[in-house]
């Protein structure tokens, strides 16, 4: 019973982490798109990082984990 409870809890935590990653990648993509429209060109991760106030490494890691490609970057 304890093992089942632990598995359920772990699964719930994994789903939360996935939701956080999806949310973060969506925020990055939205910011990149807005900035690209404003500047009229693709933007760099560095530019998005400065605009969002988060580290370049955090953006790179989020994109890597999500396996996502952001068209505006």
């Amino acid at each position: 019973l304890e093992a089942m409870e632990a598995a359920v809890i772990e699964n719930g935590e994994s789903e939360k982490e996935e939701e956080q990653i999806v949310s973060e990648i969506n925020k990055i993509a939205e910011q990149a798109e807005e900035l690209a429209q404003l500047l009229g060109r693709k933007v760099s991760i560095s530019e998005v990082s400065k605009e969002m106030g988060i580290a370049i490494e955090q953006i790179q890691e989020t994109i890597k984990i999500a396996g996502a490609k952001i068209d505006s970057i």
Side-chain angles (χ1 to χ4, degrees):
L1 186 60
E2 287 179 23
M4 288 175 53
E5 289 175 350
V8 169
I9 290 170
E10 185 176 313
N11 187 36
E13 290 172 357
S14 294
E15 288 178 13
K16 264 188 173 178
E17 289 174 6
E18 289 175 19
E19 289 173 8
Q20 289 173 340
I21 292 170
V22 169
S23 176
E24 188 69 23
I25 197 71
N26 286 338
K27 288 177 189 174
I28 293 168
E30 288 171 10
Q31 188 64 54
E33 180 63 27
E34 287 177 19
L35 195 54
Q37 286 181 0
L38 179 67
L39 299 174
R41 61 174 170 79
K42 286 190 172 194
V43 296
S44 69
I45 290 176
S46 175
E47 290 171 318
V48 176
S49 169
K50 288 177 187 174
E51 189 70 23
M52 294 183 74
I54 60 176
I56 292 170
E57 295 80 12
Q58 184 177 349
I59 293 174
Q60 291 171 326
E61 186 66 20
T62 301
I63 292 169
K64 180 180 172 184
I65 290 170
K69 180 178 185 289
I70 298 176
D71 292 333
S72 301
I73 296 178

